[in-house]
CSV table of all heavy atoms in Angstrom, one decimal:
chain,number,residue,atom,x,y,z
A,4,VAL,N,-1.2,5.6,7.9
A,4,VAL,CA,-2.5,5.7,7.2
A,4,VAL,C,-3.7,5.5,8.1
A,4,VAL,O,-4.7,6.2,8.0
A,4,VAL,CB,-2.5,4.7,6.0
A,4,VAL,CG1,-3.9,4.5,5.4
A,4,VAL,CG2,-1.5,5.1,4.9
A,5,GLN,N,-3.5,4.6,9.0
A,5,GLN,CA,-4.6,4.4,9.9
A,5,GLN,C,-4.9,5.6,10.8
A,5,GLN,O,-6.1,6.0,11.0
A,5,GLN,CB,-4.3,3.2,10.8
A,5,GLN,CG,-5.5,2.6,11.6
A,5,GLN,CD,-6.6,2.1,10.8
A,5,GLN,OE1,-6.3,1.4,9.7
A,5,GLN,NE2,-7.8,2.4,11.1
A,6,ARG,N,-3.9,6.3,11.2
A,6,ARG,CA,-4.1,7.5,12.0
A,6,ARG,C,-4.7,8.6,11.1
A,6,ARG,O,-5.5,9.4,11.6
A,6,ARG,CB,-2.7,8.0,12.6
A,6,ARG,CG,-2.2,7.1,13.7
A,6,ARG,CD,-1.1,7.8,14.5
A,6,ARG,NE,0.1,8.0,13.6
A,6,ARG,CZ,1.1,7.1,13.5
A,6,ARG,NH1,1.0,6.0,14.2
A,6,ARG,NH2,2.1,7.3,12.7
A,7,LEU,N,-4.4,8.6,9.9
A,7,LEU,CA,-4.9,9.6,9.0
A,7,LEU,C,-6.4,9.5,8.8
A,7,LEU,O,-7.1,10.5,8.7
A,7,LEU,CB,-4.2,9.5,7.6
A,7,LEU,CG,-4.6,10.4,6.5
A,7,LEU,CD1,-4.3,11.9,6.8
A,7,LEU,CD2,-4.0,10.0,5.2
A,8,ILE,N,-6.9,8.3,8.6
A,8,ILE,CA,-8.3,8.1,8.3
A,8,ILE,C,-9.2,7.9,9.5
A,8,ILE,O,-10.5,8.1,9.4
A,8,ILE,CB,-8.5,6.9,7.3
A,8,ILE,CG1,-8.1,5.6,8.0
A,8,ILE,CG2,-7.8,7.2,6.0
A,8,ILE,CD1,-8.9,4.5,7.5
A,9,GLU,N,-8.7,7.6,10.7
A,9,GLU,CA,-9.6,7.4,11.8
A,9,GLU,C,-10.5,8.5,12.1
A,9,GLU,O,-11.7,8.2,12.4
A,9,GLU,CB,-8.7,7.1,13.1
A,9,GLU,CG,-8.3,5.6,13.2
A,9,GLU,CD,-7.4,5.4,14.4
A,9,GLU,OE1,-7.1,6.4,15.2
A,9,GLU,OE2,-6.9,4.3,14.6
A,10,PRO,N,-10.1,9.8,12.0
A,10,PRO,CA,-11.1,10.9,12.4
A,10,PRO,C,-12.2,11.0,11.4
A,10,PRO,O,-13.2,11.7,11.7
A,10,PRO,CB,-10.2,12.1,12.4
A,10,PRO,CG,-8.8,11.6,12.5
A,10,PRO,CD,-8.8,10.3,11.8
A,11,LEU,N,-12.1,10.4,10.2
A,11,LEU,CA,-13.1,10.6,9.1
A,11,LEU,C,-14.3,9.7,9.3
A,11,LEU,O,-15.4,10.1,8.8
A,11,LEU,CB,-12.4,10.3,7.8
A,11,LEU,CG,-11.2,11.1,7.4
A,11,LEU,CD1,-10.7,10.7,6.0
A,11,LEU,CD2,-11.5,12.6,7.4
A,12,GLY,N,-14.2,8.6,10.0
A,12,GLY,CA,-15.3,7.8,10.3
A,12,GLY,C,-15.9,7.2,9.0
A,12,GLY,O,-17.1,6.9,9.0
A,13,ASP,N,-15.1,7.0,8.0
A,13,ASP,CA,-15.5,6.4,6.7
A,13,ASP,C,-15.2,4.9,6.7
A,13,ASP,O,-14.0,4.6,6.6
A,13,ASP,CB,-14.9,7.2,5.6
A,13,ASP,CG,-15.4,6.7,4.2
A,13,ASP,OD1,-15.7,5.5,4.0
A,13,ASP,OD2,-15.4,7.5,3.3
A,14,GLU,N,-16.2,4.0,6.8
A,14,GLU,CA,-15.9,2.6,6.8
A,14,GLU,C,-15.3,2.1,5.5
A,14,GLU,O,-14.5,1.2,5.5
A,14,GLU,CB,-17.1,1.8,7.2
A,14,GLU,CG,-17.6,2.1,8.6
A,14,GLU,CD,-18.8,1.2,9.0
A,14,GLU,OE1,-19.4,0.5,8.1
A,14,GLU,OE2,-19.1,1.1,10.2
A,15,GLY,N,-15.7,2.7,4.4
A,15,GLY,CA,-15.1,2.4,3.1
A,15,GLY,C,-13.6,2.6,3.1
A,15,GLY,O,-12.8,1.8,2.6
A,16,LEU,N,-13.2,3.8,3.6
A,16,LEU,CA,-11.7,4.1,3.7
A,16,LEU,C,-11.0,3.2,4.7
A,16,LEU,O,-9.9,2.8,4.5
A,16,LEU,CB,-11.5,5.5,4.1
A,16,LEU,CG,-11.8,6.6,3.0
A,16,LEU,CD1,-11.5,8.0,3.6
A,16,LEU,CD2,-10.9,6.3,1.8
A,17,GLN,N,-11.7,2.8,5.8
A,17,GLN,CA,-11.1,1.9,6.7
A,17,GLN,C,-10.8,0.5,6.1
A,17,GLN,O,-9.8,-0.1,6.4
A,17,GLN,CB,-12.0,1.7,7.9
A,17,GLN,CG,-12.1,3.0,8.8
A,17,GLN,CD,-13.1,2.8,9.9
A,17,GLN,OE1,-13.5,1.7,10.3
A,17,GLN,NE2,-13.6,4.0,10.5
A,18,THR,N,-11.8,0.1,5.2
A,18,THR,CA,-11.5,-1.2,4.5
A,18,THR,C,-10.3,-1.0,3.6
A,18,THR,O,-9.4,-1.9,3.6
A,18,THR,CB,-12.7,-1.5,3.6
A,18,THR,OG1,-13.9,-1.6,4.5
A,18,THR,CG2,-12.5,-2.9,2.9
A,19,GLU,N,-10.2,0.1,2.9
A,19,GLU,CA,-9.1,0.3,2.0
A,19,GLU,C,-7.8,0.3,2.8
A,19,GLU,O,-6.7,-0.2,2.4
A,19,GLU,CB,-9.2,1.6,1.2
A,19,GLU,CG,-10.4,1.7,0.4
A,19,GLU,CD,-10.3,1.0,-1.0
A,19,GLU,OE1,-9.2,0.5,-1.3
A,19,GLU,OE2,-11.3,0.9,-1.7
A,20,ALA,N,-7.8,1.0,4.0
A,20,ALA,CA,-6.6,1.1,4.8
A,20,ALA,C,-6.2,-0.2,5.4
A,20,ALA,O,-5.0,-0.5,5.5
A,20,ALA,CB,-6.9,2.1,5.9
A,21,LEU,N,-7.1,-1.1,5.8
A,21,LEU,CA,-6.8,-2.4,6.4
A,21,LEU,C,-6.2,-3.3,5.3
A,21,LEU,O,-5.4,-4.2,5.7
A,21,LEU,CB,-8.0,-3.0,7.0
A,21,LEU,CG,-8.4,-2.5,8.4
A,21,LEU,CD1,-9.9,-2.9,8.7
A,21,LEU,CD2,-7.5,-3.0,9.4
A,22,PHE,N,-6.4,-3.1,4.1
A,22,PHE,CA,-5.8,-3.9,3.0
A,22,PHE,C,-4.2,-3.7,3.1
A,22,PHE,O,-3.5,-4.6,2.8
A,22,PHE,CB,-6.3,-3.6,1.7
A,22,PHE,CG,-5.7,-4.3,0.6
A,22,PHE,CD1,-5.8,-5.7,0.5
A,22,PHE,CD2,-4.9,-3.7,-0.4
A,22,PHE,CE1,-5.2,-6.5,-0.5
A,22,PHE,CE2,-4.2,-4.4,-1.4
A,22,PHE,CZ,-4.4,-5.8,-1.5
A,23,ILE,N,-3.8,-2.5,3.5
A,23,ILE,CA,-2.3,-2.2,3.5
A,23,ILE,C,-1.6,-3.2,4.4
A,23,ILE,O,-0.7,-3.9,4.0
A,23,ILE,CB,-2.1,-0.7,3.8
A,23,ILE,CG1,-2.6,0.1,2.6
A,23,ILE,CG2,-0.6,-0.5,4.1
A,23,ILE,CD1,-2.5,1.6,2.8
A,24,PRO,N,-2.0,-3.2,5.8
A,24,PRO,CA,-1.3,-4.2,6.6
A,24,PRO,C,-1.6,-5.7,6.3
A,24,PRO,O,-0.8,-6.5,6.6
A,24,PRO,CB,-1.8,-3.8,8.0
A,24,PRO,CG,-3.1,-3.1,7.8
A,24,PRO,CD,-2.9,-2.4,6.5
A,25,ALA,N,-2.8,-5.9,5.7
A,25,ALA,CA,-3.2,-7.3,5.3
A,25,ALA,C,-2.2,-7.9,4.3
A,25,ALA,O,-1.6,-9.0,4.5
A,25,ALA,CB,-4.6,-7.3,4.8
A,26,LEU,N,-1.9,-7.1,3.3
A,26,LEU,CA,-1.0,-7.6,2.3
A,26,LEU,C,0.5,-7.5,2.8
A,26,LEU,O,1.2,-8.5,2.6
A,26,LEU,CB,-1.1,-6.7,1.0
A,26,LEU,CG,-0.2,-7.1,-0.2
A,26,LEU,CD1,-1.0,-6.9,-1.5
A,26,LEU,CD2,1.1,-6.4,-0.2
A,27,THR,N,0.8,-6.5,3.5
A,27,THR,CA,2.2,-6.4,3.9
A,27,THR,C,2.6,-7.5,4.9
A,27,THR,O,3.6,-8.1,4.8
A,27,THR,CB,2.5,-5.0,4.5
A,27,THR,OG1,2.0,-3.9,3.6
A,27,THR,CG2,3.9,-4.7,4.8
A,28,ALA,N,1.6,-7.7,5.9
A,28,ALA,CA,1.9,-8.8,6.9
A,28,ALA,C,2.0,-10.1,6.2
A,28,ALA,O,2.8,-11.0,6.6
A,28,ALA,CB,0.8,-8.8,7.9
A,29,PHE,N,1.2,-10.4,5.2
A,29,PHE,CA,1.3,-11.7,4.5
A,29,PHE,C,2.7,-11.9,4.0
A,29,PHE,O,3.3,-13.0,4.2
A,29,PHE,CB,0.3,-11.7,3.3
A,29,PHE,CG,0.5,-12.9,2.5
A,29,PHE,CD1,-0.2,-14.1,2.8
A,29,PHE,CD2,1.3,-12.9,1.3
A,29,PHE,CE1,-0.1,-15.3,2.1
A,29,PHE,CE2,1.4,-14.1,0.6
A,29,PHE,CZ,0.8,-15.3,1.0
A,30,TYR,N,3.3,-10.9,3.3
A,30,TYR,CA,4.6,-11.1,2.7
A,30,TYR,C,5.7,-11.2,3.8
A,30,TYR,O,6.8,-11.8,3.6
A,30,TYR,CB,5.0,-10.1,1.7
A,30,TYR,CG,4.2,-10.3,0.4
A,30,TYR,CD1,3.1,-9.6,0.1
A,30,TYR,CD2,4.6,-11.3,-0.5
A,30,TYR,CE1,2.3,-9.8,-1.1
A,30,TYR,CE2,3.9,-11.6,-1.6
A,30,TYR,CZ,2.7,-10.8,-1.9
A,30,TYR,OH,2.0,-11.1,-3.1
A,31,LEU,N,5.5,-10.6,5.0
A,31,LEU,CA,6.4,-10.8,6.1
A,31,LEU,C,6.2,-12.1,6.8
A,31,LEU,O,7.0,-12.4,7.7
A,31,LEU,CB,6.2,-9.6,7.1
A,31,LEU,CG,6.7,-8.3,6.6
A,31,LEU,CD1,6.2,-7.1,7.5
A,31,LEU,CD2,8.2,-8.2,6.5
A,32,GLY,N,5.3,-12.9,6.4
A,32,GLY,CA,5.1,-14.2,6.9
A,32,GLY,C,4.2,-14.3,8.2
A,32,GLY,O,4.1,-15.3,8.9
A,33,ASP,N,3.5,-13.2,8.4
A,33,ASP,CA,2.5,-13.1,9.6
A,33,ASP,C,1.1,-13.4,9.0
A,33,ASP,O,0.3,-12.4,8.8
A,33,ASP,CB,2.6,-11.7,10.2
A,33,ASP,CG,1.9,-11.7,11.6
A,33,ASP,OD1,1.1,-12.6,11.9
A,33,ASP,OD2,2.2,-10.7,12.4
A,34,PHE,N,0.8,-14.6,8.9
A,34,PHE,CA,-0.4,-15.0,8.2
A,34,PHE,C,-1.6,-14.8,9.1
A,34,PHE,O,-2.7,-14.4,8.7
A,34,PHE,CB,-0.4,-16.5,7.8
A,34,PHE,CG,0.8,-16.7,6.9
A,34,PHE,CD1,1.7,-17.7,7.3
A,34,PHE,CD2,1.0,-16.0,5.7
A,34,PHE,CE1,2.9,-18.0,6.5
A,34,PHE,CE2,2.1,-16.3,4.9
A,34,PHE,CZ,3.1,-17.2,5.3
A,35,GLN,N,-1.4,-14.9,10.4
A,35,GLN,CA,-2.5,-14.6,11.4
A,35,GLN,C,-2.9,-13.1,11.3
A,35,GLN,O,-4.1,-12.8,11.3
A,35,GLN,CB,-2.2,-15.0,12.8
A,35,GLN,CG,-2.1,-16.5,13.0
A,35,GLN,CD,-3.6,-17.1,13.2
A,35,GLN,OE1,-4.5,-16.5,12.8
A,35,GLN,NE2,-3.7,-18.3,13.6
A,36,GLN,N,-1.9,-12.3,11.3
A,36,GLN,CA,-2.2,-10.8,11.2
A,36,GLN,C,-2.9,-10.5,9.9
A,36,GLN,O,-3.8,-9.7,9.9
A,36,GLN,CB,-0.9,-10.0,11.4
A,36,GLN,CG,-1.0,-8.5,11.2
A,36,GLN,CD,-1.8,-7.9,12.3
A,36,GLN,OE1,-2.2,-8.5,13.3
A,36,GLN,NE2,-2.1,-6.6,12.1
A,37,SER,N,-2.4,-11.1,8.8
A,37,SER,CA,-3.0,-10.8,7.5
A,37,SER,C,-4.5,-11.2,7.5
A,37,SER,O,-5.3,-10.5,7.1
A,37,SER,CB,-2.2,-11.6,6.4
A,37,SER,OG,-2.8,-11.3,5.2
A,38,ARG,N,-4.7,-12.4,8.0
A,38,ARG,CA,-6.1,-12.9,8.1
A,38,ARG,C,-7.0,-12.0,8.9
A,38,ARG,O,-8.1,-11.7,8.6
A,38,ARG,CB,-6.1,-14.3,8.6
A,38,ARG,CG,-7.5,-14.9,8.9
A,38,ARG,CD,-7.4,-16.2,9.7
A,38,ARG,NE,-8.7,-16.8,9.9
A,38,ARG,CZ,-8.8,-18.0,10.6
A,38,ARG,NH1,-7.8,-18.6,11.1
A,38,ARG,NH2,-10.1,-18.5,10.7
A,39,SER,N,-6.4,-11.6,10.1
A,39,SER,CA,-7.2,-10.7,11.0
A,39,SER,C,-7.6,-9.4,10.3
A,39,SER,O,-8.7,-8.9,10.4
A,39,SER,CB,-6.4,-10.5,12.3
A,39,SER,OG,-7.1,-9.5,13.1
A,40,CYS,N,-6.6,-8.8,9.6
A,40,CYS,CA,-6.9,-7.5,8.9
A,40,CYS,C,-7.9,-7.7,7.8
A,40,CYS,O,-8.8,-6.8,7.6
A,40,CYS,CB,-5.6,-7.0,8.3
A,40,CYS,SG,-4.4,-6.3,9.6
A,41,CYS,N,-7.8,-8.8,7.1
A,41,CYS,CA,-8.8,-9.1,6.1
A,41,CYS,C,-10.2,-9.3,6.7
A,41,CYS,O,-11.2,-8.7,6.1
A,41,CYS,CB,-8.4,-10.4,5.3
A,41,CYS,SG,-7.0,-10.2,4.2
A,42,GLU,N,-10.3,-10.0,7.8
A,42,GLU,CA,-11.6,-10.2,8.4
A,42,GLU,C,-12.2,-8.9,8.9
A,42,GLU,O,-13.4,-8.6,8.7
A,42,GLU,CB,-11.5,-11.2,9.6
A,42,GLU,CG,-11.2,-12.6,9.1
A,42,GLU,CD,-11.0,-13.6,10.3
A,42,GLU,OE1,-10.8,-13.1,11.4
A,42,GLU,OE2,-11.1,-14.8,10.1
A,43,LYS,N,-11.4,-8.1,9.5
A,43,LYS,CA,-11.9,-6.7,10.0
A,43,LYS,C,-12.3,-5.9,8.8
A,43,LYS,O,-13.3,-5.2,8.9
A,43,LYS,CB,-10.8,-6.1,10.8
A,43,LYS,CG,-10.5,-6.7,12.1
A,43,LYS,CD,-9.3,-6.0,12.8
A,43,LYS,CE,-8.9,-6.6,14.1
A,43,LYS,NZ,-7.7,-6.0,14.7
A,44,GLY,N,-11.5,-5.8,7.8
A,44,GLY,CA,-11.8,-5.0,6.6
A,44,GLY,C,-13.0,-5.4,5.9
A,44,GLY,O,-13.8,-4.6,5.5
A,45,PHE,N,-13.2,-6.7,5.7
A,45,PHE,CA,-14.3,-7.2,5.0
A,45,PHE,C,-15.6,-7.0,5.8
A,45,PHE,O,-16.7,-6.9,5.2
A,45,PHE,CB,-14.1,-8.7,4.6
A,45,PHE,CG,-14.9,-9.0,3.3
A,45,PHE,CD1,-14.4,-8.5,2.1
A,45,PHE,CD2,-16.0,-9.8,3.3
A,45,PHE,CE1,-15.0,-8.8,0.9
A,45,PHE,CE2,-16.6,-10.1,2.1
A,45,PHE,CZ,-16.2,-9.6,0.9
């Protein structure tokens, strides 16, 4: 998904896209990665 939206330059879509690894990483127990994705997205 990240590769799909990168060429579009749409920050709104980038926020939406970063939520995907933020949530997925959380459930995998990678809380630092989840936090990092949330900070970047927000």
Side-chain angles (χ1 to χ4, degrees):
V4 165
Q5 193 61 41
R6 287 194 295 269
L7 176 65
I8 64 149
E9 274 179 2
L11 303 180
D13 184 329
E14 292 186 349
L16 285 182
Q17 289 174 22
T18 303
E19 301 281 351
L21 281 164
F22 178 66
I23 292 176
L26 183 146
T27 309
F29 174 85
Y30 286 102
L31 289 168
D33 192 344
F34 307 121
Q35 285 285 15
Q36 174 67 5
S37 180
R38 175 190 182 182
S39 175
C40 290
C41 289
E42 288 177 344
K43 290 176 183 176
F45 209 70

